[in-house]
Amino acid sequence: MPESPVRLLIADDHPIVRDGIRGMFAGDPGFEVVAEAGDGAQAVDLARALDPDVILMDLRMPRMDGVTAIRELARLGLKARVLVLTTYDTDSDVLPAIEAGATGYLLKDALREELARAVAAAARGEAALSPSVATRLLGQVRAPADPLSGRELEILDLIAQGTTNREAAARLFISEATVKTHLLHIYAKLGVNDRAAAVAAAFQRGLLPRK
């Protein structure tokens, strides 16, 4: 029995780009373009309605940008894998997209064969990165981790004591939103995804005193 084609959603604010991407997959039985979106919000709506396997997502779009759309897709728990397809490969573009949950990141100058391989890999849940993006991420991994700031350590210590974000904000005379922002920076620096993991990692690295 032949495998089902990979169902694709294309999200890009330029119709000519969407047409070009659709054309690259036309006639290939391994892929089916199920819809096109002109911005991130429309991509999220279509993903909820159509449940595609892979979303080819541009980053800079009106109404809702690609990174925000990736975060929203993750929040909704949709199974679609996101493969970023964009013109930009700077750290300020690559890292937020990967941290938001993108499975892969390719540039728009990718060859058709490279794009097809990347989409197939993304559908399997495998990372697919253009060479320049892979080099940037390796550089980030190899670079020494940013140390936690004094404020971040204060917040982490309070979290370890079991305080809520609101309680930590009250103790430090800052807003709850600021506490949340510091927590996101802490997670990124420690390579974790939640409060418990952050506290565990901090103790493991000797960043917090054991009481």
Side-chain angles (χ1 to χ4, degrees):
M1 183 176 175
E3 289 187 11
S4 300
V6 175
R7 302 175 69 252
L8 271 171
L9 168 61
I10 301 168
D12 195 291
D13 59 328
H14 295 102
I16 193 166
V17 173
R18 298 198 303 270
D19 288 346
I21 296 170
R22 179 184 281 274
M24 292 173 82
F25 291 99
D28 189 327
F31 304 95
E32 177 190 359
V33 177
V34 296
E36 298 176 17
D39 58 60
Q42 189 181 16
V44 171
D45 290 343
L46 287 169
R48 294 178 73 174
L50 300 173
D51 196 27
D53 300 309
V54 176
I55 302 171
L56 284 171
M57 184 83 73
D58 189 20
L59 289 183
R60 301 187 186 181
M61 296 182 288
R63 221 158 57 101
M64 181 187 287
D65 63 71
V67 170
T68 303
I70 295 168
R71 290 197 187 106
E72 182 65 10
L73 291 164
R75 187 187 70 79
L76 293 169
L78 301 182
K79 74 173 181 63
R81 310 285 186 175
V82 178
L83 182 60
V84 172
L85 187 63
T86 187
T87 310
Y88 311 99
D89 68 346
T90 63
D91 287 354
S92 61
D93 291 300
V94 174
L95 298 176
I98 299 296
E99 289 169 359
T103 301
Y105 197 114
L106 284 186
L107 301 182
K108 286 180 178 175
D109 61 2
L111 298 174
R112 189 232 170 254
E113 293 75 15
E114 184 184 359
L115 181 57
R117 282 197 304 272
V119 169
R124 296 190 298 269
E126 300 169 8
L129 301 171
S130 70
S132 64
V133 170
T135 300
R136 284 186 179 281
L137 289 179
L138 278 175
Q140 288 288 327
V141 170
R142 288 172 181 158
D146 289 338
L148 297 186
S149 68
R151 178 64 89 190
E152 288 164 352
L153 286 170
E154 284 181 309
I155 289 172
L156 198 50
D157 187 37
L158 289 173
I159 297 303
Q161 295 173 39
T163 61
T164 64
N165 290 355
R166 181 171 295 178
E167 290 166 344
R171 288 206 204 179
L172 297 173
F173 303 103
I174 57 178
S175 70
E176 190 174 350
T178 300
V179 171
K180 289 179 181 177
T181 299
H182 281 306
L183 277 174
L184 288 175
H185 291 159
I186 291 167
Y187 295 167
K189 289 179 179 181
L190 297 180
V192 298
N193 295 314
D194 58 44
R195 293 157 66 99
V199 171
F203 279 126
Q204 190 175 26
R205 299 183 192 189
L207 299 175
L208 292 176
R210 292 189 180 274
K211 296 172 180 173

